[in-house]
Amino acid sequence: MIVVTDGSRVLGLGDLGVHGIGIAIGKLDLYVAAAGINPQRVLPVMIDVGTNNGKLLKDPLYLGLQQHRLDGDDYVAVVDEFMEAVFTRWPNVIVQFEDFQSKWAFKLLQRYRNTYRMFNDDVQGTAGVAIAGLLGAVRAQGRPMIDFPKQKIVVAGAGSAGIGVLNAARKTMARMLGNNEIAYESAKSQFWVVDAKGLITEGRENIDPDALPFARNLKEMDRQGLREGASLVEVVKQVKPDVLLGLSAVGGLFSKEVLEALKDSTSTRPAIFAMSNPTKNAECTPEVAFSILGDNIIFASGSPFRDVDLGNGRIGHCNQGNNMYLFPGIGLGTLLSGSRVISDGMLQAAAER
């Protein structure tokens, strides 16, 4: 197993340059501990193409290249060369991409996924764990799994993790609705995506092409009493979602007002997923969620939190929705099956399991 990073977007900490290597080491520790991979058969790799972190560029003790990041074709050429060399040397290796900034995460995944045994943990691992959580939430609401395509989901964040989750959730819904074009088309209407500029609609200028399929129709939003750029609170109030999914890397984004608005959810047991890491970037803490909404919610976070004592012997359970539950299994399964590529179907099966 190789876990490779360029340190450009480490968790919610941003561009750490070569200091991001700790993430690659930590992920491989989990491959050893959870998937039983021989520790002599794992290799953390840092592709140092510079850093755009001003502090590191001035730091005399910084160990990496003190220059601005390579970009464009020059950057792709370096990663191409790395992939070619690694698979020439170890034809059966699996390469996990970790903490690449959004603009490259998708491009590199699409570029290599059909030729090499590789996957991107931020895009696909986060998506798989979120799907597992979303399916688990349907079950915890006392409904059959087949009801998943009826869930109304408000997503905060449209980076690589957010878009990865949206695409995977849409595919899962489409599979349950008959796995055809019509099903795939209708599934997208279950999502409302809010980024730093508010609700994403077709009225947005310079829309990110990855987010475009989830931009809401303006006329339809008008009927819902929403507009382009509507705030998270407004969206939650109008949509009354079953699930509030946080992948924004903005700590405390699920404020008191947002959680109060969720009280009107049409679900008997709304789900709150505060998935952003590290702890200070979590969209809300379980204490805040349970104190405002009571114990009739499903709560999951990307970082570990303790269960909340609600008094009278009641406990607010805090589940951890972290990629660590998925990626060691993906790697091990790929290794054991001898699969040449890591397909969406494999990730889907892992999430459903």
Side-chain angles (χ1 to χ4, degrees):
M1 288 296 316
I2 286 178
V3 174
V4 62
T5 183
D6 68 355
S8 57
R9 189 207 56 83
V10 180
L11 301 174
L13 303 169
D15 185 341
L16 296 190
V18 301
H19 294 173
I21 190 66
I23 285 284
I25 295 167
K27 295 280 174 172
L28 290 167
D29 287 345
L30 287 162
Y31 269 112
V32 172
I37 308 284
N38 180 339
Q40 293 174 316
R41 310 294 291 165
V42 300
L43 181 67
V45 176
M46 164 60 65
I47 298 182
D48 184 7
V49 288
T51 177
N52 293 340
N53 182 329
K55 214 163 142 197
L56 296 178
L57 289 170
K58 291 193 200 89
D59 183 352
L61 296 178
Y62 178 62
L63 295 173
L65 286 173
Q66 283 189 308
Q67 59 193 49
H68 284 284
R69 285 188 172 276
L70 264 189
D71 209 9
D73 294 344
D74 295 340
Y75 173 78
V76 176
V78 172
V79 189
D80 275 356
E81 190 178 339
F82 163 76
M83 291 298 274
E84 214 166 291
V86 160
F87 282 91
T88 304
R89 173 65 184 81
W90 296 290
N92 298 319
V93 73
I94 297 158
V95 176
Q96 173 173 317
F97 277 60
E98 192 70 45
D99 287 340
F100 283 73
Q101 57 185 315
S102 299
K103 75 169 190 173
W104 288 115
F106 285 104
K107 285 192 180 110
L108 296 175
L109 176 61
Q110 298 312 347
R111 188 173 180 85
Y112 304 129
R113 66 175 306 181
N114 298 322
T115 7
Y116 295 115
R117 301 216 294 182
M118 63 75 68
F119 70 108
N120 181 303
D121 187 35
D122 307 293
V123 177
Q124 295 163 296
T126 305
V129 169
I131 297 303
L134 291 169
L135 293 171
V138 178
R139 215 170 40 204
Q141 288 163 350
R143 295 158 67 178
M145 210 100 107
I146 200 75
D147 271 4
F148 178 53
K150 295 179 190 160
Q151 295 262 299
K152 291 180 295 189
I153 302 172
V154 169
V155 180
S160 59
I163 300 294
V165 170
L166 283 162
N167 286 327
R170 184 181 176 188
K171 277 183 186 142
T172 307
M173 286 182 175
R175 267 175 71 155
M176 291 178 166
L177 292 167
N179 217 3
N180 52 35
E181 262 315 297
I182 298 163
Y184 189 63
E185 205 36 54
S186 79
K188 73 177 184 187
S189 63
Q190 299 305 113
F191 304 96
W192 288 257
V193 188
V194 180
D195 68 359
K197 295 179 186 161
L199 178 67
I200 299 178
T201 70
E202 290 165 355
R204 172 84 54 102
E205 283 175 27
N206 304 328
I207 196 162
D208 176 358
D210 294 313
L212 187 60
F214 299 97
R216 302 295 305 210
N217 177 290
L218 282 169
K219 278 191 182 139
E220 182 204 352
M221 287 303 92
D222 220 23
R223 285 198 297 276
Q224 268 186 7
L226 290 168
R227 56 185 165 70
E228 161 60 40
S231 71
L232 185 59
V233 180
E234 293 173 283
V235 175
V236 172
K237 269 186 186 151
Q238 298 298 341
V239 174
K240 303 178 174 38
D242 300 284
V243 181
L244 182 56
L245 183 54
L247 293 149
S248 65
V250 179
L253 182 69
F254 296 168
S255 61
K256 188 169 182 284
E257 295 74 28
V258 171
L259 294 170
E260 288 280 357
L262 196 61
K263 282 182 176 173
D264 295 330
S265 165
T266 46
S267 172
T268 49
R269 237 187 128 185
I272 299 165
F273 289 7
M275 300 283 271
S276 294
N277 285 321
T279 315
K280 68 178 174 60
N281 287 20
E283 283 75 12
C284 70
T285 63
E287 286 88 351
V288 171
F290 285 109
S291 68
I292 292 173
L293 288 150
D295 59 353
N296 210 15
I297 56 169
I298 298 155
F299 184 89
S301 56
S303 294
F305 285 99
R306 293 182 187 281
D307 285 346
V308 182
D309 184 354
L310 301 167
N312 303 334
R314 292 174 313 144
I315 299 288
H317 290 288
C318 178
N319 306 280
Q320 194 180 357
N322 188 296
N323 315 16
M324 70 171 187
Y325 291 113
L326 203 87
F327 70 79
I330 296 285
L332 182 62
T334 307
L335 204 64
L336 295 176
S337 65
S339 171
R340 283 185 310 101
V341 295
I342 296 168
S343 68
D344 283 339
M346 289 159 71
L347 292 150
Q348 189 82 43
E352 285 175 15
R353 188 78 200 100

